[in-house]
Amino acid sequence: MSLKPQLRRLLPALRQAASRHHLLFAGKTALAAGLAWYLAPFMPGPAASYPYYAPLGVLVSMHPTVVASAKHGLQSLLGLGLGIAMAFAVTTVATPSAFSVAVVVGIGVIIGGLPRLGAASEWVPMAALFVLVLGNSNAPGFSFGYVLQMGMGVAVAILINWVVFPPLHLEGIDPAIAGHQRALSRQLRDMAMAMTESWPPNHEEWAGRSGELSRTATAVRNAVGEAELSAKANPRSRRRARRLPSDLAGLRTVERLTFHVQDITDVLQSVIWEKDAGTVIPDSVLANLSGALEAVAGVINEWRNGEAQRLKDRIAEAKEGVASLGGSITEAAAGQASVNAAASVAMSLRRMITVIAEAD
C-alpha cells in the first residue's frame, strides 16, 4: 500500500504544527507553566500544598489571543467557584461515595448547561468532583488552595500572553482575499466561455462551484475575524493593526461580490439546463454577455493589487462592456425577445463594478 496519499495529508498538518505562530504559542505556554510552578510554593496558607494547580491554570487560560486568554481564564475561575460552592453543599450531608459522586457530577453538568457560561461549564462538575473526592476532611483548605493556585496560573498566562509578543494575526488576510478574488474571477471567466459554446456547454464545472465560493468566502471572514479578535487588548495593535478598518471594508466588498456572482451563476444555470423555467437569453445577446462577464472578471482580478491606474482602466473597459450588453438587450427586447435573464445578469454586473469602484 502506497504511503503517498497519507503523506500528502500529513505534511500540511505538520507544517501547521511547526508554524511560527504555533511554535511561539508553545514557547509562551511552556514559559508561563514554568513560571507558575516556580511561584506556586510562595502562595499563602494551605495553597502552597497544591502547586500542581498553578500550571493547570496556565493551560486552561492560554489561548492564541490576549482577549481569549482573559475570557477563558475568568470563565474557568467562575466555573471553579460554582463547582466548589455546590460541592460544599453536598459535603455537608454526605461523604465520598458512588452516590455522592453521581449527585455532584450530575448537578454540576446541569449547572454547566446554563447559557453564557462558556468555558465555565466544563469546570463546574470537575471542580465539584475534586473538592468532594480530594478535599475529603479538609475541603475548605483544599478549595482555597485550588482556587488560589488556579487563579495565579490564569494571571501568569494572561500576563505572559500580553507581554511576550502578543500575536496579531494579520498576515492571513491578504492571501485569503486574493484566493477568493481568483475564485470569483475564474467563475466569471468560465461562465463567459460557456456563453460562446454550443449548449449544453463543454465547460460546465462552474455550475457546481457554489460550495467552493462559499469556502473561500468563509476563509476571508475567518481571517479577518481572527485578526480583529487578536487586536483586542493587544499592546501591539496601536502600531500594526491600523489596516483592520480597510480589511473589514474588504470583507464587506467580498461578501457583496460573492452574492452577485452566485446570483449570476443561478440565472445562467437556469438558462442552460432548466428548459421549462422560462429563463432564456437571445442568441444576439450572448457575445456581448460573454464580453461583459470577461471584463468584470478582469476588474475583480485587479482589485487590491495596488495599481490604481490599471484598475481604473479595467473598470472603464467593464463599464463599456456592460453598456454594450445593455444595448444588445434593448435591441432584443425591441424584437419581442425575452430578456429578463440577460437584464438580471447585466444588473448584477453593474452592481459589481459599482461595489469595486466604491471600495477603491
Side-chain angles (χ1 to χ4, degrees):
M1 181 178 176
S2 175
L3 294 178
K4 288 184 178 180
Q6 288 86 340
L7 288 175
R8 281 197 294 268
R9 290 191 294 269
L10 180 61
L11 287 176
L14 291 176
R15 282 196 294 268
Q16 182 177 358
S19 66
R20 179 172 59 87
H21 275 303
H22 195 67
L23 291 177
L24 175 61
F25 178 68
K28 289 165 60 174
T29 304
L31 173 63
L35 180 59
W37 178 263
Y38 173 78
L39 295 174
F42 298 103
M43 293 296 102
S49 301
Y50 306 100
Y52 35 84
Y53 288 117
L56 181 60
V58 169
L59 292 177
V60 301
S61 59
M62 184 64 86
H63 282 260
T65 63
V66 176
V67 70
S69 285
K71 177 181 177 181
H72 284 264
L74 295 176
Q75 286 178 342
S76 298
L77 292 178
L78 172 62
L80 288 178
L82 291 173
I84 289 171
M86 188 260 292
F88 269 129
V90 174
T91 54
T92 57
V93 297
T95 58
S97 66
F99 177 74
S100 61
V101 166
V103 169
V104 161
V105 171
I107 297 176
V109 171
I110 292 173
I111 295 175
L114 294 173
R116 304 178 68 87
L117 284 183
S121 62
E122 302 173 4
W123 283 96
V124 175
M126 190 177 302
L129 180 63
F130 281 7
V131 171
L132 176 66
V133 176
L134 301 179
N136 203 359
S137 60
N138 187 30
F142 175 82
S143 300
F144 173 76
Y146 190 10
V147 172
L148 191 62
Q149 294 286 17
M150 287 283 288
M152 188 267 287
V154 168
V156 168
I158 295 173
L159 178 65
I160 293 297
N161 214 6
W162 190 76
V163 172
V164 181
F165 300 109
L168 275 174
H169 299 288
L170 302 177
E171 68 279 358
I173 297 176
D174 287 336
I177 292 181
H180 193 57
Q181 279 181 256
R182 289 192 295 271
L184 292 175
S185 181
R186 181 177 66 163
Q187 182 75 350
L188 291 180
R189 287 201 165 102
D190 285 354
M191 289 190 289
M193 185 183 301
M195 295 303 100
T196 61
E197 296 177 347
S198 59
W199 288 6
N202 296 324
H203 301 85
E204 57 184 59
E205 58 273 8
W206 56 269
R209 281 201 198 123
S210 291
E212 179 182 345
L213 293 178
S214 296
R215 284 192 297 272
T216 54
T218 298
V220 176
R221 283 192 293 272
N222 290 343
V224 175
E226 187 177 5
E228 190 177 21
L229 183 63
S230 71
K232 292 180 179 179
N234 192 321
R236 300 170 66 205
S237 63
R238 295 179 183 177
R239 301 189 304 272
R240 300 188 55 191
R242 295 174 183 173
R243 55 171 287 180
L244 273 176
S246 174
D247 291 325
L248 290 170
L251 172 60
R252 289 190 291 270
T253 299
V254 160
E255 291 175 335
R256 294 172 68 186
L257 292 175
T258 303
F259 171 81
H260 291 304
V261 170
Q262 289 180 326
D263 186 59
I264 292 172
T265 302
D266 291 341
V267 170
L268 295 183
Q269 280 180 307
S270 178
V271 168
I272 296 173
W273 286 288
E274 297 179 16
K275 300 301 181 185
D276 300 324
T279 49
V280 296
I281 294 180
D283 292 343
S284 60
V285 173
L286 291 175
N288 285 326
L289 176 56
S290 177
L293 288 166
E294 181 72 33
V296 175
V299 173
I300 292 176
N301 201 47
E302 201 62 48
W303 174 56
R304 285 179 68 98
N305 282 342
E307 298 187 20
Q309 187 56 50
R310 286 187 61 181
L311 178 59
K312 289 180 180 179
D313 293 341
R314 292 285 192 180
I315 289 176
E317 292 172 9
K319 287 181 177 179
E320 184 178 342
V322 174
S324 298
L325 172 60
S328 63
I329 291 173
T330 300
E331 291 178 6
Q336 305 302 311
S338 175
V339 296
N340 288 340
S344 174
V345 173
M347 179 60 70
S348 293
L349 292 174
R350 289 191 190 96
R351 287 175 176 168
M352 292 167 71
I353 295 172
T354 300
V355 166
I356 293 180
E358 290 176 348
D360 183 36

